[in-house]
Amino acid sequence: MKIALSGIKPSGLPHIGNYLGMIRPALRLADSYQCLYFIADYHALTTLHNGSELRSHSLSVAATWLALGLDPTRNLLYRQSDVPEVMELAWILSCFTGKGLLDRAHAFKDAQAQQREISAGVYTYPILMAADILAFGADVVPVGRDQKQHLEMCRDIAQRFNHAYGDLLIVPEALIQEEVETIPGLDGRKMSKSYDNTVPMFLPAAQLRKLVMRIQTDSVPVEEPKLPESAAVFQLYRHFAGASDAEALAEKLRAGGTGWAVAKQALFDAMEASLGEARTRYREIMGDADKLAGVLRDGAERARALASARMARVRRAIGMGSSA
Ligand code: TYM
């Protein structure tokens, strides 16, 4: 069976951008791929320097996958930091990664443009991401569009390695849902923890409703016709409610006489219909720390077994240890 692999950074609570852009499509792969979904906690360390928050967000990411139906016995759910082979591979791959490649990374260039302090971790982020993928021989990587460049870099790094040692690493394909554009946040920019504009998936209903009501809209008066497609609230609604309900709401908005508050309420209702039950399960799972720890322990063990088999071949190829 082919392998699908993807990760989420626990730098905050999982949000509906993660859900629509990656988690929902990734869950649909569970019948046709062996799925390896992990918590990219070392990646979160590039921005989050608070141990208890990082640990608690990691558990939230794990509980989110389970609440949405990932079966951890058929698939693998693990923490990146529980698989040290990934870090070892990251060093090896760094010797096959040109500085020019890293200089072109959007994430690094954005940080530079905003004059943020750039750590070596931010700069080498794409190498660790390549190691996450290549250590497991993933065939496909379901991601949102914002990760496309990272996947291209991973392919490039794998090809350089393979050029020296033969086809040892599997060159993965990105799996990007073409119909899911970048999901907008509260302010209309890309929903992102770093913009502080996210809608966390499993907020209590009252808090979720409050947040949905805060989504920015234009100030066209209620009676005037509106442009639904340009509004974040409508784009989000379409993903939760589906095409035909979205078209019905769009017609009302275009006709005038329907205010944005109506669209926000419709979005909240559609989110409750999609995620309400999963929120109950999420709470239960978060309340059972031992069970959650057990799932992650089991995932770590099985993930290490996979990664260490591949790493033994890599070590041999590059000339480490004995050749036998
Ligand atoms: P992260 O944690 O930022 O996001 C997790 C997944 O959610 C998708 N996503 C979005 N999709 C659409 N619209 C949005 N506004 C939006 N925000 C987030 C992301 O595309 C991603 O698929 N570098 C990765 C984590 C990672 C990884 C990996 C992924 C580390 N190693 C190896 C795949 C394979 C990241 O920061 O994702």
Side-chain angles (χ1 to χ4, degrees), residues 36-103:
L36 277 60
Y37 295 143
F38 70 96
I39 302 150
D41 47 1
Y42 273 132
H43 277 113
L45 191 61
T46 57
T47 54
L48 180 56
H49 294 172
N50 177 316
S52 60
E53 277 185 31
L54 184 50
R55 189 172 294 110
S56 114
H57 292 326
S58 295
L59 296 177
S60 292
V61 172
T64 297
W65 279 110
L66 297 174
L68 291 168
L70 183 79
D71 176 349
T73 56
R74 283 179 56 211
N75 303 292
L76 248 73
L77 180 63
Y78 59 95
R79 253 187 302 235
Q80 180 187 38
S81 59
D82 285 336
V83 187
E85 287 77 6
V86 167
M87 303 308 293
E88 182 186 355
L89 184 60
W91 167 258
I92 296 169
L93 296 177
S94 75
C95 301
F96 295 82
T97 307
K99 178 174 174 294
L101 187 85
L102 297 178
D103 285 340

Side-chain angles (χ1 to χ4, degrees), residues 35-236:
C35 294
L36 277 60
Y37 295 143
F38 70 96
I39 302 150
D41 47 1
Y42 273 132
H43 277 113
L45 191 61
T46 57
T47 54
L48 180 56
H49 294 172
N50 177 316
S52 60
E53 277 185 31
L54 184 50
R55 189 172 294 110
S56 114
H57 292 326
S58 295
L59 296 177
S60 292
V61 172
T64 297
W65 279 110
L66 297 174
L68 291 168
L70 183 79
D71 176 349
T73 56
R74 283 179 56 211
N75 303 292
L76 248 73
L77 180 63
Y78 59 95
R79 253 187 302 235
Q80 180 187 38
S81 59
D82 285 336
V83 187
E85 287 77 6
V86 167
M87 303 308 293
E88 182 186 355
L89 184 60
W91 167 258
I92 296 169
L93 296 177
S94 75
C95 301
F96 295 82
T97 307
K99 178 174 174 294
L101 187 85
L102 297 178
D103 285 340
R104 287 193 293 278
H106 300 316
F108 162 65
K109 286 203 310 201
D110 286 353
Q112 216 174 21
Q114 291 167 27
Q115 299 188 325
R116 290 209 307 264
E117 205 181 293
I118 297 161
S119 65
V122 167
Y123 187 60
T124 56
Y125 187 112
I127 304 177
L128 179 56
M129 188 158 157
D132 290 329
I133 298 167
L134 301 173
F136 293 94
D139 299 285
V140 297
V141 183
V143 280
R145 191 161 302 170
D146 60 322
Q147 297 297 318
K148 190 171 174 198
Q149 190 196 33
H150 284 147
L151 261 293
E152 283 160 4
M153 291 177 157
C154 171
R155 289 171 56 86
D156 199 88
I157 295 169
Q159 277 156 352
R160 282 197 199 198
F161 182 94
N162 284 349
H163 185 69
Y165 302 106
D167 285 341
L168 198 57
L169 299 177
I170 293 175
V171 182
E173 300 281 343
L175 214 61
I176 298 171
Q177 304 298 303
E178 288 310 324
E179 74 275 16
V180 179
E181 76 280 17
T182 298
I183 303 298
L186 295 173
D187 56 1
R189 292 188 293 170
K190 175 195 157 191
M191 185 174 292
S192 166
K193 290 158 238 180
S194 51
Y195 294 150
D196 198 19
N197 66 355
T198 68
V199 179
M201 289 182 59
F202 294 133
L203 283 181
Q207 276 181 41
L208 178 66
R209 187 167 182 284
K210 247 194 199 156
L211 207 55
V212 167
M213 292 296 158
R214 270 185 42 206
I215 295 174
Q216 281 178 25
T217 47
D218 60 30
S219 48
V220 175
V222 173
E223 56 288 358
E224 300 279 318
K226 298 177 187 58
L227 292 171
E229 280 78 11
S230 61
V233 57
F234 179 75
Q235 290 171 31
L236 293 171

